Amino acid sequence: MGGVVRAVALAAGVLLVAGCGLGVTGLGADVDASGDDAGLGDDGDDAVEAGDVGSDDGGSGEGATGEAAAGDGGAVVIAPAGAIASATGLAQQTHLVYATHSARWWLFFVDDAHPMLLQVRSSTDFVTWSPAASLTLPASHAGEGGNFTVAYADLGGADVVHLSFGLHFPAQNDRRHFHARATLSGVTITFQAPAQMTTVTDPALVDPDGPATLVASDGHVWDASGWAYYQGTGNMCAWDSAGVDYGTFWDGILGPQQNLATAQHTVNARALVPLAAGHVLALWELADAEPDPTNVAFSTFGGLSWTAGAPLFSGTTAQSANDWDVVHLTDTNVRVVRRALAGGFDDVRFDGSTWSALAAPTGDPGLAGSGVVLLGSAPRVAAFTIAGDAANSVRQAVWNGASWGPWTTLEGTPAARRFLSGWSSAGHAAVIWTQADGAGFDVAGKLVTF
């Protein structure tokens, strides 16, 4: 999801937010829920040089890949994903964050060799990446990167991440939604035990769930998912925490399920955006057709209730569920851009109460379904796509505060790229994607400026 930056005075200190159950469930006490890679990277001895990760034969081992490091102006191969082609998730989701106090990039990813681990790597320079403690999951991630997302917040001087994810249990069609929290300190990540929020057994559900999570401007934590019962499943449901996350303490309680909207089919992509005074903007693909919807829907939470869900863009245009994104510049300047399957873009701005259409980027129809990512640093917005050319180039267009510039090539080294995602916060921006490596896939990315 496009980066979101927020500063709000709380009793516990300054809150800086970056982002983008059927019952009350609390998280357990802090535990270091580590898996196979636990403890690696604490002293830097296990650091992995980007460009040395991956395998020439497509395996998940480490070996030369020939990718250039960031300092050379090229893309960085960060981690192998094995057979998982969607390791970087959806365009609206966050798998990469920059933590203010640890002064490090953190990547969260899954691979096929560890079906019950959420793996983590960190880097100070986006070139050398060190494995960190992984989170042992209660069940399998089922090889789907679009079934988890991360929200980062600087809370009372502490680096905190919240995680929202869906897991597949052994029983047929047994899907469950979980929430977890972790703190970052130096090279160390400490997870709290995941808390189950829902369980569903609907065989009609289609992966991914595309869950969302958010630390709102008042410090409350939000989750959104379709793996919940509300006139069926696959719809748009949300949960709000009972208490504020202060950084040093969070009670871990998410409140009752809030039902925003139903859909004809499975909603596979959604996003939550912070607004002033703890208010929230929710967005989701309309799911009026499968596999490609005709719009993005929205609703706003004003402190007591949600507005009725409504289509965001005028008209109906077939689009991929993955080809849209949102970026928060200010509370009165939230941007959403989508790409139609037939080519062409739409761009709208939310001023806190109403939407208005803007002149959209032109040209570069891009590769349908590969993701449209928005990053921002007010008043500038950068849009990123994967081109449909032979190289699957990563391209960038920039809104300078008044208009969109032309598309330029950010990364043109040939690679089979998909599932574009990204991150932006004050002074830090990067895009990541999943790319083919022989018979397998790698997570790769690049620092960006705009």
Side-chain angles (χ1 to χ4, degrees):
M1 178 180 176
V4 178
V5 182
R6 159 87 40 243
V8 179
L10 289 179
V14 174
L15 163 68
L16 247 179
V17 177
C20 190
L22 298 177
V24 177
T25 308
L27 295 181
D30 264 6
V31 295
D32 187 1
S34 56
D36 292 2
D37 299 323
L40 295 182
D42 288 352
D43 59 5
D45 292 342
D46 298 299
V48 182
E49 185 79 10
D52 294 332
V53 178
S55 161
D56 288 340
D57 60 6
S60 59
E62 295 180 1
T65 64
E67 292 286 357
D72 299 324
V76 170
V77 175
I78 303 172
I84 300 180
S86 61
T88 41
L90 306 177
Q92 312 83 21
Q93 294 179 317
T94 299
H95 286 195
L96 175 76
V97 304
Y98 185 84
T100 303
H101 298 286
S102 68
R104 302 181 74 88
W105 290 97
W106 295 82
L107 173 73
F108 300 81
F109 69 102
V110 292
D111 70 12
D112 67 334
H114 306 91
M116 295 182 65
L117 290 183
L118 178 68
Q119 300 197 75
V120 185
R121 288 189 176 181
S122 72
S123 173
T124 58
D125 58 8
F126 214 83
V127 175
T128 302
W129 290 82
S130 301
S134 54
L135 173 63
T136 300
L137 303 172
S140 173
H141 53 63
E144 178 54 73
N147 276 345
F148 83 90
T149 191
V150 179
Y152 165 80
D154 175 354
L155 299 167
D159 291 326
V160 177
V161 290
H162 283 265
L163 304 99
S164 177
F165 48 95
L167 299 176
H168 285 243
F169 279 71
Q172 188 175 17
N173 302 318
D174 185 351
R175 294 179 171 93
R176 306 183 194 182
H177 181 74
F178 285 80
H179 185 94
R181 177 183 184 265
T183 55
L184 309 172
S185 178
V187 298
T188 301
I189 182 168
T190 304
F191 287 97
Q192 290 179 324
Q196 180 178 315
M197 296 168 58
T198 64
T199 179
V200 296
T201 57
D202 186 352
L205 279 174
V206 178
D207 281 55
D209 178 41
T213 190
L214 169 74
V215 182
S217 59
D218 62 356
H220 283 83
V221 180
W222 287 85
D223 254 22
S225 170
W227 289 8
Y229 286 106
Y230 167 51
Q231 299 185 28
T233 63
N235 298 309
M236 182 61 179
C237 302
W239 298 261
D240 179 16
S241 67
V244 169
D245 190 334
Y246 294 101
T248 55
F249 170 76
W250 182 53
D251 62 18
I253 299 174
L254 289 169
Q257 180 176 311
Q258 301 175 34
N259 302 317
L260 277 65
T262 61
Q264 292 176 255
H265 303 281
T266 301
V267 175
N268 299 118
R270 66 200 85 221
L272 297 171
V273 182
L275 300 174
H279 296 183
V280 176
L281 168 66
L283 300 137
W284 61 97
E285 58 104 343
L286 194 59
D288 56 340
E290 287 288 3
D292 303 311
T294 66
N295 216 315
V296 174
F298 78 96
S299 176
T300 56
F301 177 78
L304 295 175
S305 61
W306 291 91
T307 61
L312 176 56
F313 299 101
S314 61
T316 57
T317 302
Q319 63 167 93
S320 165
N322 192 33
D323 285 349
W324 63 276
D325 197 13
V326 56
V327 64
H328 174 285
L329 300 176
T330 69
D331 289 333
T332 57
N333 189 0
V334 177
R335 299 283 288 276
V336 182
V337 171
R338 73 159 173 178
R339 176 179 57 206
L341 285 179
F345 294 82
D346 290 299
D347 182 359
V348 293
R349 177 169 55 201
F350 184 61
D351 66 6
S353 60
T354 59
W355 294 91
S356 57
L358 300 175
T362 59
D364 188 52
L367 185 63
S370 61
V372 173
V373 170
L374 296 185
L375 303 181
S377 179
R380 299 172 73 82
V381 177
F384 300 87
T385 67
I386 295 176
D389 61 3
N392 285 161
S393 305
V394 179
R395 291 184 178 160
Q396 168 184 338
V398 176
W399 170 273
N400 62 13
S403 62
W404 286 100
W407 291 97
T408 60
T409 298
L410 175 69
E411 176 59 40
T413 304
R417 301 181 178 92
R418 301 292 188 274
F419 292 97
L420 195 65
S421 182
W423 169 267
S424 59
S425 59
H428 301 92
V431 291
I432 57 173
W433 55 83
T434 305
Q435 67 184 36
D437 177 10
F441 299 91
D442 292 326
V443 175
K446 188 171 184 176
L447 296 174
V448 300
T449 58
F450 52 88

